[in-house]
Amino acid sequence: MKIRKLFFVIIVVFLYPLNQYSQQLDINKPPVPETNSNYIYPSYVEYNLRNGLKVFFIKTDKPLATINVMVNGGKLSEELVGTSEVLVNLILLGSKNNSSTKFQNEIDFNAIDLKAQVTDDAFIFNAKSLNRNFRKLLSLVSESISKPAFNIKIFEEYKKYYSSLLITNTADADYLSKIGTNKLLFGETNLGNILSPELIDYMQIDDVNKLYEENFSSKNSSIAITGNFNKDQLLKDLEATFGNWKVGEKVLYDRPSFPEFKGGEILIIDKPNSVQSTIKAIGSGFKFDDSLRIKSILLNNIIGGVSLNSRLSKNLREKNGYTYTPTSEFSTNRFTSNFITNAEVSNIHTADCIKEMLFEFNKIQFDSLSKEELSRFINSTIGNFYITLKKPEEYISLLQSSFFYNIPKEFYANYIDIIKSITSNDIIQVARDIFRMNAVSFVVVGKSSEIIPQLENITQKISVYDKNLLPIKVGPRSESNSIARDIWFKMLDSLGGVDKLHRIKSLKTSGNLIYSSNMMSHPLKGEYVKIQTIPFKQYELIDLKLFRIESFLNENGGFKGEVGNITPLTNGESNISKTIEQIIPEAYLLNNDAQLEFIGKVKVGKNKENFIIDLNYPRIDIVIRYVIDSETFLPISKTINDSIKTKFDDWKYLPILGIKLPHSIEINQSKLVKMNIFDIRYEANIDLDERIFYPK
């Protein structure tokens, strides 16, 4: 009983001040800001190493040290799309003095967190560790950046990893909306194009080396450090590590030929099975050196930002229930700036959400902010900046970015005073620059068949792309079909011509085989045999010693399985195989009710694009996508229903018959299984024992 009384007394004691506080608090009124707070800017040291490397340092009393290296260049500096991304990831895999394994062991043992990223115009490396491990951190980071080991074997392995990563990325709506935005803003420049499997195949280690040599040097870089160090000792440590980095020169890049951003259009990326749409609204912004940039930061917080009090949040989230967290930001590089709003809604509300966004963009151009609303966002914007001042690693990043983009030092020194002085009319004027009539465009990722009918009531300027940013329509179907047929028959001519291809009545294909799977620790080696004849029959053998797989096609249907355990194919499977697996099928596919469509071009090199052709078989629900070399008109690859992909290489003339056939084939049957067939041999128009086409 005494214990209960004591417990009650403790509760009362603790609740009394809480009740007192709650009586003074009105949750319907925003808190009064501390207007007389002194915003103290952290003191920092700024100097150059002997080799010209710019250094920013803030001494802290925290146990954690951070380092941030910025190298001028980024995606704007690459000749081949994707090279910059591969470059920074290879740098994280060791140096000339540390193998990949040793480097990773040192990182783990010293509890170092090391990351890298590529922006439009910079290569950025960020690392942190405990203060006591900082010298090891400095040694490892300087080694990897100034003396990278671009090992050819690791490079080839990384290319394979990156190809598989692309498959994952293209299933992600957020990734698709970002590349769609880049396509809209940056067109056919490196910032607008995306890395494709074809570009990865084309990429060589020399491309990575060249990009590194052109950009990575001390005078083209800067470094920002926070930690509990003596500044003089830090200078000695930096000279001993980064001081040996080659000097080089500051690299200056011309503005790429970005398309003029006009607004008023909608770019759709089709995600056929999606139940919701990811929407990005895009307007112009203010560059780093524009005097209106600070005012636009406040506008961003009012219209969207990341606040639940923003106008978009109150409209889309609270009033209409379309989305939970609409956000907005300014995306800025050395040459451009854009206002970007993001929201995710169900497909049926796609157009409704866009209309409400446009309503808010229009309203803020003419509707004065109340004193209370303006005050609230001024205080929150200043408060966010104050939080940054309390985090040395974030503040020093601002200093480093100011140096990187040639932002006047007064920008952040006067930041708070400028924010305080902004009026409602200032916000209206900035909003009119960004949201003027037809100045906003949209990127939408979703099920195009559901959202296009809604969006046609908003604008007729609608373009539709697939997940690889290839246009789904290039104009009227008759025009597309005409272009496709022209390319297709040029391809047949490059193979030797239709007449010669049709003269082959039987064909035996045999070669060496490497069979690999994610389920196996090592690939298996074996032999491959395929025998075909007209009228069409086919026998195929995959002989891997440990097991042998046979398949048969004949007038009775199809059969497949391990030797001794053959099972029949369904009628549908047999019909598909007989339709698409003729002898040199390209010569026969158009005889099977195939509909040709020219999809567009895909970038495969620094100055080369290849053709994309789709063959659609409505009767069997099959689409075969061909990539055709724009110079030789030979097939590079074909993909069946976006899953089974076959790559062709090493085309040679077949003696006597005068036709070209590939002597190396790679078949990706799924994400897990791949077959490489090489040293292929062909025998045409030979006598065959037709019993081979029938299972025993």
Side-chain angles (χ1 to χ4, degrees), residues 97-127:
N97 297 331
N98 284 309
S99 68
S100 178
T101 302
K102 182 180 177 183
F103 183 81
Q104 191 57 55
N105 287 341
E106 291 281 6
I107 291 289
D108 293 341
F109 182 77
N110 291 281
I112 294 171
D113 182 18
L114 176 59
K115 297 176 182 176
Q117 64 170 315
V118 180
T119 65
D120 291 348
D121 45 25
F123 305 93
I124 301 175
F125 302 87
N126 179 269

Side-chain angles (χ1 to χ4, degrees), residues 647-682:
K647 299 179 183 178
F648 307 102
D649 197 12
D650 193 21
W651 290 85
K652 296 177 182 177
Y653 275 107
L654 193 66
I656 303 174
L657 292 176
I659 65 170
K660 278 187 176 179
L661 292 173
H663 285 240
S664 178
I665 298 174
E666 179 185 297
I667 304 174
N668 292 277
Q669 294 178 312
S670 67
K671 296 178 183 179
L672 303 177
V673 178
K674 180 170 70 176
M675 292 196 304
N676 290 90
I677 307 167
F678 56 98
D679 295 335
I680 297 176
R681 303 168 297 280
Y682 296 97

Side-chain angles (χ1 to χ4, degrees), residues 351-505:
D352 296 329
C353 183
I354 289 177
K355 289 175 183 177
E356 292 299 329
M357 285 181 172
L358 290 171
F359 170 78
E360 293 296 344
F361 298 156
N362 184 62
K363 179 182 176 184
I364 202 167
Q365 298 177 63
F366 303 98
D367 183 22
S368 294
L369 281 74
S370 68
K371 184 177 180 180
E372 180 186 351
E373 184 181 20
L374 180 62
S375 176
R376 181 171 68 247
F377 281 103
I378 284 177
N379 292 331
S380 65
T381 302
I382 293 174
N384 288 333
F385 184 69
Y386 184 56
I387 292 172
T388 298
L389 296 182
K390 291 292 186 181
K391 296 180 178 180
E393 66 278 8
E394 292 187 11
Y395 180 64
I396 204 167
S397 179
L398 292 181
L399 297 173
Q400 188 179 25
S401 295
S402 298
F403 166 75
F404 188 84
Y405 291 110
N406 295 317
I407 301 172
K409 291 185 177 180
E410 297 77 25
F411 182 88
Y412 290 112
N414 300 328
Y415 185 89
I416 293 173
D417 290 336
I418 294 175
I419 291 291
K420 285 182 177 180
S421 70
I422 294 175
T423 67
S424 178
N425 284 336
D426 290 331
I427 295 299
I428 289 173
Q429 291 303 318
V430 172
R432 287 177 179 176
D433 283 337
I434 297 174
F435 303 129
R436 63 190 183 278
M437 183 67 71
N438 293 324
V440 177
S441 287
F442 292 87
V443 171
V444 182
V445 178
K447 189 174 182 178
S448 61
S449 61
E450 285 189 18
I451 60 181
I452 287 177
Q454 304 173 43
L455 301 180
E456 287 174 339
N457 295 323
I458 298 175
T459 180
Q460 294 299 308
K461 295 169 65 176
I462 298 175
S463 54
V464 187
Y465 294 82
D466 68 8
K467 65 182 182 180
N468 299 308
L469 284 190
L470 294 169
I472 291 179
K473 269 192 174 182
V474 296
R477 181 169 292 276
S478 59
E479 178 188 352
S480 171
N481 186 266
S482 175
I483 296 171
R485 289 182 69 85
D486 179 60
I487 295 171
W488 190 264
F489 282 103
K490 285 182 179 178
M491 177 189 70
L492 294 179
D493 288 341
S494 72
L495 294 174
V498 175
D499 290 342
K500 289 182 180 178
L501 296 172
H502 283 177
R503 288 176 194 167
I504 300 178
K505 302 304 181 184

Side-chain angles (χ1 to χ4, degrees), residues 339-351:
F339 174 82
I340 299 176
T341 304
N342 185 77
E344 294 181 347
V345 302
S346 61
N347 287 338
I348 60 173
H349 291 307
T350 303

